[in-house]
């Protein structure tokens, strides 16, 4: 089934202990759709400036992503972000943010977007996310992401948004801030129940993720990676794998959702293997499937 | 098959944000054997003072643990430990340690211990662990635990010990210290290869554990617990569930080892539900089996 993602398109400059990469293709909607496009047809809604080159558009088209909803602002400049990772790759420091055209982004869904049955609201101001939600036809399965900034500066708007959606993806820090509880399980239960969410996923980076649903919790580990080259976009690749799988399976039951999270986990692991979307541009379906099979086998506790 | 554990027997005084408990039965050999005894017959080797009361011995006998190897030092006092947990239960502070009779503990294995096919060397000075190893008949499957103190103060002895055993259980901090690498996967690979270990398990508390073996890594999550009452002894309960399962299964292949780690995970989750060994003394086989089944089902990614 059709999947729409609304979010940022950016040029990311990334410093890791090993290497520096300038202005690689990034942003939440990019990482999400590069991942989801392996599972279902994906329509991207976002905004860029006139400086966004044709070869970057081609990367998206090569993955079959529908970019009719990618607006170009005349005379505008594309969103830029610069970040630095420290030794253990778990701590990220934002060096600079230039929102540029993303600052006044007012997403407008085309008729073909409005009838989508799956919608992902990538991190943006909760009011912007809500305006997208206003445009989608009723009955779509909607999930969203957010960030600490919105928990702190737009709390009421964020709460209003979360009450209107089906699923939410947070990292452990965001969950602690939103629930005012550092303990992941109580925090997740509280958030899911308070906002009446069908699914909540709390991401713990290298420690995996926990699904909260009405039958309890499901903890799944990350795929063990020996080398993390650049974790930027791993969370959005995770969400893309999850939503892409769900849209393709058209099954929102728990077992299907677990398989979706497993696909999210696998897609996020590929994302971390290179800068930007480099790994995704050369990912083969066969290696993707074989990592999923390996992950499923790793978790199988069946007796020999 | 028979399993012997050599380690500490203690009175623990524990402070958590919710409650304080004085002088509960604890120590590595106690937590290990209370857990392993559900899976296989276990012989405990340790030392106590004259102050160790009959009702505590009875707790062990009630679980079918063989305590013929529990030496009582005339006029001696049992090991005492006092610790405090902070809000998130992940940070533990040692308030006081009185080694007492454990300081001069020279474990002597009886003939019936020496022929054991499974041996667990709970945390102790590496030289003490090595002297136990000298007494066991060749061919036993031996695993050990250690602590930061020995990595720092008895490094060469610890390295000599690790070279002689089959499996090692470390927490993530100990693995980082021993490998001088904060990244868990590279740290684990390095340690396993350097010392020629068949199995290494790195425990990450609420984030689960990772098995390192010659075919790669297996990451397994913790059992999601809403409330952790007291995590003291969780690591030894984990090792007890693992070794108890292996001794009973008599199968040292990877799939069996994974099931052992799953049992360790389940037993550790029960340990955390009450102070000391309180939860273990009232644990029913049926609830233990049903939690294992729930854990296995949680990790199953089979399509519906």
């Amino acid at each position: 089934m059709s999947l729409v993602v609304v979010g940022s398109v950016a040029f990311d400059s990334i410093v890791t202990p090993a290497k520096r990469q300038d202005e690689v293709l990034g942003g939440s909607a990019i990482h999400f759709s590069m991942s989801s496009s392996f599972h279902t047809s994906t329509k991207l809604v976002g905004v860029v400036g006139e400086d966004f080159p044709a070869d970057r558009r081609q990367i998206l088209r090569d993955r079959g992503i529908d970019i009719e909803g990618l607006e170009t602002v005349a005379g505008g400049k594309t969103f830029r972000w610069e970040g630095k990772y420290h030794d253990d790759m778990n701590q990220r420091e934002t060096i600079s943010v230039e929102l540029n055209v993303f600052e006044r982004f007012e997403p407008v869904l085309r008729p073909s977007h409005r009838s989508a049955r799956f919608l992902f609201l990538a991190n943006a101001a909760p009011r912007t996310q809500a305006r997208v939600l206003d445009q989608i036809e009723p009955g779509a399965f909607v999930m969203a992401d957010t960030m600490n900034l919105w928990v702190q500066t737009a709390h009421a708007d964020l709460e209003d948004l979360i009450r209107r959606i089906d699923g939410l993806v947070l990292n452990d820090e965001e969950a602690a801030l939103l629930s005012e509880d550092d303990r992941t399980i109580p925090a997740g239960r509280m958030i899911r129940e308070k906002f009446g969410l069908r699914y909540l996923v709390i991401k713990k980076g290298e420690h995996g993720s926990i699904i909260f649903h009405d039958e309890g919790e499901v903890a799944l580990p990350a795929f063990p990676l020996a080398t993390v080259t650049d974790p930027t976009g791993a969370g959005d690749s995770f969400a893309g794998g999850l939503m892409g799988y769900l849209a393709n399976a058209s099954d929102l039951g728990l077992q299907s959702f677990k398989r979706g999270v497993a696909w999210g986990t696998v897609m996020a692991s590929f994302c971390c293997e290179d800068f930007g979307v480099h790994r995704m541009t050369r990912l083969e379906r066969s290696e993707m499937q074989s990592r999923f099979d390996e992950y499923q086998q790793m978790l199988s506790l069946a007796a020999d």
Side-chain angles (χ1 to χ4, degrees), chain A:
Chain A
M1 295 243 241
S2 56
L3 168 61
V4 168
V5 56
V6 184
S8 64
V9 177
F11 291 125
D12 289 342
S13 294
I14 297 156
V15 183
T16 70
K19 207 174 168 185
R20 175 184 179 94
Q21 287 269 288
D22 285 310
E23 303 218 332
V24 297
L25 183 58
S28 58
I30 294 293
H31 283 289
F32 180 97
S33 58
M34 287 298 285
S35 170
S36 67
S37 65
F38 283 93
H39 302 276
T40 199
S41 66
T42 304
K43 298 178 204 294
L44 182 157
V45 177
V47 65
V48 291
E50 270 189 4
D51 55 350
F52 196 75
D55 60 353
R56 306 294 171 100
R57 285 176 209 271
Q58 197 52 45
I59 289 173
L60 303 170
R61 285 201 194 94
D62 286 347
R63 286 263 7 100
I65 299 164
D66 176 339
I67 54 170
E68 277 199 45
L70 182 61
E71 181 195 345
T72 306
V73 175
K77 233 184 129 184
T78 302
F79 179 15
R80 274 161 175 81
W81 175 83
E82 187 176 351
K84 183 176 176 177
Y85 291 91
H86 296 279
D87 281 352
D88 68 356
M89 302 297 273
N90 290 321
Q91 291 301 313
R92 179 165 78 184
E93 185 189 340
T94 293
I95 305 289
S96 69
V97 178
E98 278 182 49
L99 288 175
N100 299 327
V101 296
F102 193 62
E103 190 164 12
R104 295 171 186 278
F105 179 40
E106 283 292 345
V108 176
L109 298 193
R110 288 156 185 258
S112 65
H113 296 145
R114 289 187 206 139
S115 58
R117 308 316 294 145
F118 290 83
L119 172 65
F120 186 70
L121 302 167
N123 173 36
R127 282 196 179 197
T128 306
Q129 292 176 309
R131 279 195 294 269
V132 175
L133 198 46
D134 293 338
Q135 299 172 57
I136 200 91
E137 285 177 16
F141 181 78
V142 182
M143 289 189 72
D145 186 14
T146 189
M147 70 191 288
N148 279 352
L149 177 69
W150 309 121
V151 182
Q152 287 159 330
T153 65
H155 202 94
D157 291 343
L158 181 61
E159 293 207 342
D160 288 345
L161 177 86
I162 300 175
R163 285 201 174 82
R164 296 176 59 193
I165 60 180
D166 303 287
L168 180 65
V169 181
L170 297 175
N171 67 32
D172 41 6
E173 274 181 46
E174 292 154 1
L177 197 65
L178 186 58
S179 64
E180 299 179 334
D181 195 328
D182 282 339
R183 301 163 307 156
T184 308
I185 306 279
R189 285 190 180 180
M190 190 277 241
I191 293 168
R192 197 189 75 83
E193 284 162 24
K194 176 174 177 180
F195 298 107
L197 289 163
R198 181 159 176 191
Y199 290 110
L200 166 68
V201 182
I202 298 185
K203 299 171 293 173
K204 307 189 295 172
E206 64 169 321
H207 300 307
S209 61
I210 304 181
I211 305 167
F212 296 81
H213 63 102
D214 62 6
E215 293 164 64
E217 292 82 38
V218 171
L220 291 170
F223 184 85
L225 274 189
T227 310
V228 170
T229 301
D230 171 21
T232 311
D236 292 301
S237 301
F238 174 91
L242 165 59
M243 289 288 281
Y245 176 82
L246 292 176
N248 184 53
S250 289
D251 175 353
L252 296 168
L254 176 61
Q255 195 61 18
S256 174
F257 197 88
K258 276 167 61 180
R259 285 172 66 86
V261 167
W263 271 113
T265 301
V266 164
M267 301 309 283
S269 75
F270 283 116
C271 175
C272 292
E273 291 183 341
D274 205 341
F275 285 88
V277 296
H278 294 167
R279 185 68 181 88
M280 290 297 178
T281 60
R282 59 174 200 274
L283 181 63
E284 302 283 344
R285 274 179 193 282
S286 58
E287 50 185 355
M288 194 176 96
Q289 185 65 50
S290 97
R291 187 170 291 184
F292 182 88
D293 294 344
E294 195 183 332
Y295 183 71
Q296 180 170 354
Q297 176 52 37
M298 178 182 91
L299 296 179
S300 165
L301 295 173
D304 265 338

